[in-house]
Coordinates of all heavy atoms in Angstrom, one line a residue:
M21 N -12.8 176.5 83.6 CA -11.7 176.3 84.4 C -12.0 175.6 85.7 O -12.6 176.2 86.5 CB -11.0 177.7 84.7 CG -10.0 177.7 85.8 SD -9.4 179.3 86.3 CE -9.1 180.1 84.7
P22 N -11.7 174.3 85.8 CA -12.0 173.6 87.1 C -11.3 174.3 88.3 O -10.2 174.8 88.1 CB -11.6 172.2 86.9 CG -11.5 172.1 85.4 CD -11.2 173.4 84.8
A23 N -12.0 174.3 89.5 CA -11.4 174.9 90.6 C -10.0 174.3 90.9 O -9.1 175.0 91.3 CB -12.3 174.8 91.8
E24 N -9.8 173.0 90.6 CA -8.6 172.4 91.0 C -7.4 172.9 90.2 O -6.3 173.1 90.6 CB -8.6 170.8 90.7 CG -9.8 170.1 91.3 CD -11.0 170.2 90.4 OE1 -11.0 169.9 89.3 OE2 -12.1 170.7 91.0
Q25 N -7.7 173.3 88.9 CA -6.7 173.9 88.1 C -6.3 175.2 88.5 O -5.2 175.7 88.3 CB -7.2 174.0 86.6 CG -7.2 172.6 85.9 CD -7.6 172.7 84.4 OE1 -8.3 173.6 84.1 NE2 -7.0 171.9 83.6
F26 N -7.3 175.9 89.1 CA -7.0 177.3 89.6 C -6.3 177.2 90.9 O -5.8 178.2 91.5 CB -8.4 177.9 89.8 CG -8.3 179.4 90.2 CD1 -7.8 180.3 89.4 CD2 -8.9 179.8 91.4 CE1 -7.7 181.6 89.8 CE2 -8.9 181.1 91.7 CZ -8.3 182.1 91.0
G27 N -6.2 176.0 91.5 CA -5.5 175.8 92.8 C -6.4 176.2 94.0 O -5.9 176.7 94.9
A28 N -7.6 176.0 93.8 CA -8.6 176.5 94.8 C -9.7 175.5 95.1 O -10.0 174.7 94.3 CB -9.2 177.8 94.5
V29 N -10.3 175.6 96.3 CA -11.5 174.9 96.5 C -12.7 175.8 96.0 O -12.5 177.0 96.1 CB -11.7 174.7 98.0 CG1 -13.0 174.1 98.4 CG2 -10.5 173.9 98.6
E30 N -13.6 175.2 95.3 CA -14.7 176.0 94.7 C -15.3 176.9 95.7 O -15.6 176.5 96.9 CB -15.8 175.1 94.1 CG -16.9 175.9 93.5 CD -17.6 175.3 92.4 OE1 -17.0 174.7 91.5 OE2 -18.9 175.3 92.5
G31 N -15.4 178.2 95.4 CA -16.0 179.3 96.2 C -15.1 179.9 97.2 O -15.4 180.9 97.8
E32 N -13.8 179.3 97.4 CA -12.9 180.0 98.3 C -12.2 181.1 97.6 O -11.8 181.1 96.5 CB -11.8 178.9 98.6 CG -10.7 179.3 99.5 CD -9.7 178.3 99.7 OE1 -8.8 178.1 98.9 OE2 -9.8 177.5 100.7
W33 N -12.1 182.3 98.3 CA -11.4 183.4 97.8 C -9.9 183.2 98.0 O -9.4 182.7 99.0 CB -11.8 184.7 98.6 CG -13.2 185.1 98.2 CD1 -14.3 184.9 99.0 CD2 -13.6 185.8 97.1 NE1 -15.4 185.4 98.3 CE2 -15.0 186.0 97.1 CE3 -13.0 186.3 95.9 CZ2 -15.7 186.6 96.1 CZ3 -13.6 186.9 94.9 CH2 -15.0 187.1 95.1
R34 N -9.2 183.5 97.0 CA -7.7 183.3 96.9 C -7.0 184.7 96.5 O -7.6 185.5 95.7 CB -7.3 182.3 95.9 CG -7.9 180.9 96.0 CD -7.2 180.1 96.8 NE -5.8 180.0 96.3 CZ -5.0 179.0 96.6 NH1 -5.4 178.0 97.3 NH2 -3.8 179.0 96.1
R35 N -5.8 184.8 97.1 CA -5.0 186.0 96.8 C -3.7 185.6 96.2 O -3.2 184.5 96.5 CB -4.7 186.8 98.1 CG -5.8 187.5 98.7 CD -5.3 188.2 100.0 NE -6.5 188.9 100.7 CZ -6.3 189.7 101.7 NH1 -5.1 189.8 102.2 NH2 -7.4 190.2 102.2
S36 N -3.0 186.6 95.5 CA -1.7 186.3 95.0 C -0.7 186.1 96.2 O -0.9 186.8 97.3 CB -1.3 187.5 94.2 OG 0.1 187.4 93.9
R37 N 0.3 185.3 96.0 CA 1.3 185.1 97.1 C 2.1 186.4 97.3 O 2.6 186.6 98.4 CB 2.3 184.0 96.7 CG 1.7 182.7 96.9 CD 2.7 181.6 96.5 NE 2.1 180.8 95.5 CZ 2.6 180.4 94.4 NH1 3.8 180.8 94.1 NH2 1.9 179.7 93.6
S38 N 2.1 187.3 96.3 CA 2.8 188.6 96.4 C 2.0 189.7 97.3 O 2.6 190.6 97.6 CB 3.1 189.2 95.0 OG 2.0 189.4 94.3
C39 N 0.8 189.3 97.5 CA -0.1 190.2 98.3 C 0.3 190.1 99.9 O 0.2 188.9 100.4 CB -1.5 190.0 98.1 SG -2.6 191.0 99.0
V40 N 0.8 191.1 100.5 CA 1.2 191.0 101.9 C 0.3 191.9 102.8 O -0.3 192.8 102.3 CB 2.6 191.4 102.1 CG1 3.6 190.5 101.4 CG2 2.9 192.8 101.6
G41 N 0.0 191.4 104.0 CA -0.8 192.1 104.9 C -2.2 192.3 104.5 O -2.8 191.4 103.8
E42 N -2.8 193.4 104.9 CA -4.2 193.7 104.5 C -4.3 194.8 103.5 O -5.1 195.6 103.5 CB -5.0 194.0 105.8 CG -5.1 192.8 106.8 CD -5.8 191.6 106.1 OE1 -6.8 191.8 105.4 OE2 -5.3 190.5 106.3
G43 N -3.3 194.8 102.6 CA -3.3 195.9 101.5 C -4.3 195.7 100.5 O -5.2 194.9 100.6
H44 N -4.2 196.4 99.4 CA -5.1 196.4 98.4 C -4.8 195.2 97.4 O -3.9 195.3 96.6 CB -5.1 197.7 97.5 CG -5.5 198.9 98.3 ND1 -6.8 199.2 98.5 CD2 -4.7 199.7 98.9 CE1 -6.8 200.3 99.2 NE2 -5.6 200.7 99.6
C45 N -5.5 194.1 97.7 CA -5.2 192.9 97.0 C -6.4 192.4 96.2 O -7.5 192.6 96.5 CB -4.9 191.7 98.0 SG -3.6 192.1 99.1
V46 N -6.0 192.0 95.0 CA -7.1 191.3 94.2 C -7.3 189.9 94.6 O -6.4 189.2 94.9 CB -6.6 191.3 92.7 CG1 -7.6 190.5 91.8 CG2 -6.5 192.8 92.2
E47 N -8.6 189.5 94.8 CA -8.9 188.2 95.2 C -9.8 187.5 94.2 O -10.6 188.2 93.5 CB -9.7 188.2 96.6 CG -8.9 188.8 97.8 CD -9.7 188.9 99.0 OE1 -10.9 189.2 98.9 OE2 -9.1 188.7 100.0
L48 N -9.6 186.3 93.9 CA -10.3 185.5 92.9 C -11.0 184.3 93.6 O -10.5 183.7 94.5 CB -9.4 185.0 91.8 CG -8.6 186.1 91.0 CD1 -7.6 185.5 90.1 CD2 -9.6 187.0 90.3
S49 N -12.1 183.9 93.0 CA -12.8 182.7 93.4 C -13.5 182.0 92.2 O -14.1 182.7 91.4 CB -13.9 183.1 94.5 OG -14.7 182.0 94.8
V50 N -13.3 180.7 92.1 CA -14.0 179.9 91.0 C -15.2 179.4 91.6 O -15.2 178.9 92.7 CB -13.0 178.9 90.5 CG1 -13.7 177.9 89.5 CG2 -11.8 179.5 90.0
I51 N -16.3 179.6 90.9 CA -17.6 179.1 91.3 C -18.4 178.4 90.2 O -17.9 178.4 89.1 CB -18.5 180.2 91.9 CG1 -18.7 181.3 90.8 CG2 -17.9 180.8 93.1 CD1 -19.8 182.4 91.2
D52 N -19.5 177.8 90.6 CA -20.4 177.1 89.6 C -19.6 176.1 88.8 O -19.6 176.1 87.6 CB -21.0 178.2 88.7 CG -22.4 177.7 88.2 OD1 -22.9 176.7 88.7 OD2 -22.9 178.4 87.2
R53 N -18.9 175.2 89.5 CA -18.1 174.1 88.8 C -17.1 174.6 87.8 O -16.9 174.0 86.8 CB -19.0 173.1 88.2 CG -19.7 172.3 89.3 CD -20.6 171.3 88.6 NE -21.7 172.0 88.0 CZ -22.9 171.4 87.7 NH1 -23.2 170.2 88.0 NH2 -23.8 172.1 87.2
G54 N -16.6 175.8 88.1 CA -15.5 176.3 87.2 C -16.1 177.1 86.0 O -15.2 177.6 85.2
T55 N -17.3 177.3 85.9 CA -17.8 178.0 84.8 C -17.8 179.6 85.0 O -18.0 180.4 84.1 CB -19.3 177.6 84.4 OG1 -20.1 177.9 85.6 CG2 -19.3 176.1 84.2
Q56 N -17.5 180.0 86.2 CA -17.5 181.4 86.6 C -16.3 181.7 87.5 O -16.0 180.9 88.3 CB -18.8 181.9 87.2 CG -20.0 181.8 86.3 CD -21.2 182.4 86.9 OE1 -21.3 182.6 88.2 NE2 -22.2 182.8 86.1
V57 N -15.7 182.9 87.2 CA -14.7 183.4 88.1 C -15.1 184.7 88.7 O -15.7 185.6 88.0 CB -13.3 183.7 87.3 CG1 -12.3 184.2 88.2 CG2 -12.9 182.3 86.7
R58 N -15.0 184.9 90.1 CA -15.4 186.1 90.7 C -14.1 186.9 91.1 O -13.1 186.2 91.4 CB -16.2 185.9 92.0 CG -17.5 185.2 91.7 CD -18.3 184.9 93.0 NE -17.5 184.1 93.9 CZ -17.8 183.8 95.2 NH1 -18.9 184.4 95.7 NH2 -17.1 183.0 95.9
M59 N -14.1 188.2 91.0 CA -12.9 189.0 91.3 C -13.4 190.2 92.2 O -14.4 190.7 91.9 CB -12.3 189.5 90.1 CG -11.0 190.3 90.3 SD -10.1 190.6 88.7 CE -11.2 191.5 87.7
R60 N -12.6 190.4 93.2 CA -12.9 191.6 94.0 C -11.6 192.2 94.6 O -10.5 191.5 94.6 CB -13.8 191.2 95.2 CG -13.2 190.3 96.2 CD -14.1 189.9 97.3 NE -13.4 189.0 98.3 CZ -14.0 188.5 99.3 NH1 -15.3 188.5 99.5 NH2 -13.3 187.8 100.3
N61 N -11.7 193.4 95.1 CA -10.6 194.0 95.9 C -10.8 193.7 97.4 O -12.0 193.8 97.9 CB -10.7 195.6 95.7 CG -9.6 196.3 96.3 OD1 -9.1 196.0 97.4 ND2 -9.0 197.3 95.6
S62 N -9.7 193.3 98.1 CA -9.8 192.9 99.5 C -10.3 194.0 100.4 O -10.8 193.7 101.4 CB -8.5 192.3 99.9 OG -7.5 193.4 99.9
T63 N -10.1 195.3 100.0 CA -10.6 196.4 100.8 C -12.1 196.7 100.6 O -12.6 197.4 101.5 CB -9.8 197.6 100.6 OG1 -9.9 198.1 99.2 CG2 -8.3 197.4 101.0
T64 N -12.6 196.3 99.6 CA -14.0 196.5 99.3 C -14.7 195.2 98.8 O -15.1 195.0 97.6 CB -14.3 197.6 98.2 OG1 -13.6 197.2 97.0 CG2 -13.9 198.9 98.7
P65 N -14.8 194.2 99.7 CA -15.2 192.8 99.3 C -16.6 192.8 98.9 O -17.1 191.8 98.3 CB -14.9 192.0 100.5 CG -14.9 192.9 101.7 CD -14.4 194.2 101.1
E66 N -17.4 193.8 99.1 CA -18.9 193.7 98.8 C -19.0 194.0 97.3 O -20.1 193.7 96.8 CB -19.7 194.7 99.6 CG -19.3 196.2 99.4 CD -18.1 196.7 100.2 OE1 -17.6 195.9 100.9 OE2 -17.7 197.8 100.0
T67 N -18.1 194.5 96.6 CA -18.2 194.7 95.2 C -17.4 193.6 94.4 O -16.2 193.4 94.6 CB -17.4 196.1 94.8 OG1 -18.1 197.1 95.5 CG2 -17.6 196.3 93.3
V68 N -18.2 192.8 93.6 CA -17.6 191.6 93.0 C -17.9 191.6 91.5 O -19.0 191.9 91.1 CB -18.2 190.4 93.6 CG1 -17.8 189.1 92.9 CG2 -18.0 190.3 95.2
L69 N -16.8 191.4 90.7 CA -17.1 191.2 89.3 C -17.2 189.8 89.0 O -16.4 189.0 89.6 CB -15.9 191.8 88.5 CG -15.6 193.3 88.7 CD1 -14.3 193.7 87.9 CD2 -16.7 194.2 88.2
V70 N -18.1 189.3 88.1 CA -18.2 188.0 87.8 C -18.0 187.7 86.3 O -18.7 188.5 85.5 CB -19.6 187.5 88.2 CG1 -19.8 185.9 87.8 CG2 -19.9 187.6 89.7
F71 N -17.2 186.9 86.0 CA -16.8 186.5 84.6 C -17.2 185.1 84.2 O -17.0 184.2 85.0 CB -15.3 186.6 84.3 CG -14.7 188.0 84.6 CD1 -14.2 188.4 85.9 CD2 -14.6 188.9 83.5 CE1 -13.6 189.5 86.1 CE2 -14.0 190.2 83.8 CZ -13.5 190.4 85.1
D72 N -17.9 185.0 83.0 CA -18.0 183.5 82.6 C -16.6 183.1 82.1 O -15.7 183.9 82.0 CB -19.1 183.4 81.6 CG -19.0 184.0 80.3 OD1 -17.8 184.1 79.9 OD2 -20.0 184.2 79.6
A73 N -16.5 181.8 81.7 CA -15.2 181.3 81.3 C -14.7 182.0 80.1 O -13.5 182.4 80.0 CB -15.4 179.8 81.0
N74 N -15.5 182.3 79.1 CA -15.0 183.1 77.9 C -14.5 184.5 78.2 O -13.6 185.0 77.7 CB -16.1 183.1 76.8 CG -16.3 181.7 76.2 OD1 -15.3 180.9 76.1 ND2 -17.5 181.4 75.8
E75 N -15.3 185.2 79.1 CA -15.0 186.6 79.4 C -13.7 186.6 80.2 O -12.8 187.4 80.0 CB -16.1 187.1 80.3 CG -17.4 187.4 79.6 CD -18.5 187.7 80.5 OE1 -18.6 187.2 81.6 OE2 -19.4 188.5 80.0
W76 N -13.5 185.5 81.0 CA -12.3 185.5 81.8 C -11.1 185.3 81.0 O -10.0 185.9 81.1 CB -12.3 184.4 82.9 CG -11.2 184.3 83.8 CD1 -10.3 183.2 83.8 CD2 -10.7 185.2 84.8 NE1 -9.4 183.5 84.8 CE2 -9.5 184.7 85.3 CE3 -11.2 186.5 85.1 CZ2 -8.8 185.4 86.3 CZ3 -10.5 187.2 86.1 CH2 -9.3 186.6 86.6
R77 N -11.2 184.4 80.0 CA -10.1 184.2 79.0 C -9.7 185.4 78.3 O -8.6 185.8 78.1 CB -10.4 183.0 78.1 CG -10.2 181.7 78.6 CD -10.3 180.6 77.6 NE -10.8 179.4 78.3 CZ -12.1 179.0 78.2 NH1 -13.0 179.7 77.5 NH2 -12.5 178.0 78.9
F78 N -10.8 186.1 77.8 CA -10.6 187.4 77.1 C -9.9 188.4 77.9 O -9.0 189.2 77.5 CB -12.0 188.0 76.6 CG -11.9 189.1 75.8 CD1 -11.5 189.1 74.5 CD2 -12.2 190.4 76.4 CE1 -11.4 190.3 73.7 CE2 -12.1 191.6 75.7 CZ -11.7 191.6 74.4
F79 N -10.3 188.5 79.3 CA -9.8 189.5 80.2 C -8.3 189.1 80.4 O -7.4 190.1 80.3 CB -10.6 189.5 81.5 CG -9.9 190.3 82.6 CD1 -10.0 191.7 82.6 CD2 -9.2 189.7 83.6 CE1 -9.5 192.5 83.6 CE2 -8.6 190.5 84.6 CZ -8.8 191.8 84.6
L80 N -8.0 187.9 80.6 CA -6.6 187.5 80.9 C -5.7 187.8 79.6 O -4.5 188.3 79.7 CB -6.5 186.1 81.3 CG -7.0 185.7 82.7 CD1 -6.8 184.2 82.9 CD2 -6.3 186.5 83.7
D81 N -6.3 187.5 78.5 CA -5.5 187.7 77.3 C -5.2 189.2 77.0 O -4.1 189.6 76.6 CB -6.2 187.1 76.0 CG -6.3 185.7 75.9 OD1 -5.5 185.0 76.6 OD2 -7.1 185.1 75.2
A82 N -6.2 190.0 77.3 CA -6.1 191.5 77.2 C -5.0 192.0 78.2 O -4.2 192.8 77.8 CB -7.4 192.2 77.4
V83 N -5.0 191.5 79.4 CA -4.0 191.9 80.4 C -2.6 191.6 79.9 O -1.7 192.3 80.0 CB -4.3 191.3 81.8 CG1 -3.2 191.5 82.8 CG2 -5.6 191.9 82.3
K84 N -2.5 190.3 79.5 CA -1.2 189.8 79.1 C -0.6 190.6 77.8 O 0.6 190.7 77.7 CB -1.2 188.3 78.7 CG -1.5 187.3 79.9 CD -1.6 185.9 79.5 CE -1.9 185.1 80.6 NZ -2.2 183.7 80.2
A85 N -1.6 191.0 77.0 CA -1.1 191.8 75.8 C -1.0 193.2 76.1 O -0.8 194.1 75.2 CB -2.2 191.6 74.6
D86 N -1.1 193.6 77.4 CA -1.0 195.0 77.8 C -2.0 195.9 77.2 O -1.7 197.1 76.8 CB 0.4 195.5 77.6 CG 0.8 196.7 78.5 OD1 0.2 196.8 79.6 OD2 1.7 197.4 78.2
E87 N -3.2 195.4 77.0 CA -4.2 196.2 76.3 C -5.1 196.9 77.3 O -6.0 197.7 76.9 CB -5.2 195.3 75.4 CG -4.4 194.7 74.3 CD -5.2 193.7 73.5 OE1 -6.3 193.3 73.9 OE2 -4.7 193.2 72.5
L88 N -4.9 196.6 78.6 CA -5.8 197.4 79.6 C -5.0 198.3 80.5 O -3.8 198.1 80.7 CB -6.5 196.3 80.5 CG -7.4 195.4 79.8 CD1 -8.0 194.3 80.7 CD2 -8.6 196.1 79.2

């Protein structure tokens, strides 16, 4: 997933538009020329999950299918 398709500059952390204030927000960042996606909680930014492109697609498909 190229960073441009994600709507981000590579390495930049992004939040959902529905996230307001400094609440518990999920933040995403595309790195390594779009081959990896990082995910973290805004209240604990030191803990980061890293997905490769296939893992990210699998994760999104599972969320969409309400399997998680």
Side-chain angles (χ1 to χ4, degrees):
M21 164 188 316
E24 312 82 57
Q25 285 183 328
F26 186 62
V29 174
E30 181 155 314
E32 176 183 85
W33 288 100
R34 304 274 304 205
R35 291 182 182 184
S36 167
R37 283 182 236 130
S38 62
C39 180
V40 291
E42 295 301 315
H44 297 277
C45 302
V46 173
E47 298 178 325
L48 300 173
S49 174
V50 175
I51 58 171
D52 208 14
R53 292 181 290 205
T55 63
Q56 294 186 340
V57 176
R58 298 181 299 172
M59 183 170 59
R60 69 183 184 184
N61 183 318
S62 62
T63 60
T64 55
E66 64 278 358
T67 303
V68 177
L69 299 175
V70 180
F71 299 89
D72 68 25
N74 290 328
E75 292 168 328
W76 182 245
R77 278 189 213 98
F78 181 79
F79 174 76
L80 289 181
D81 289 344
V83 170
K84 290 176 186 177
D86 202 22
E87 295 174 355
L88 298 176

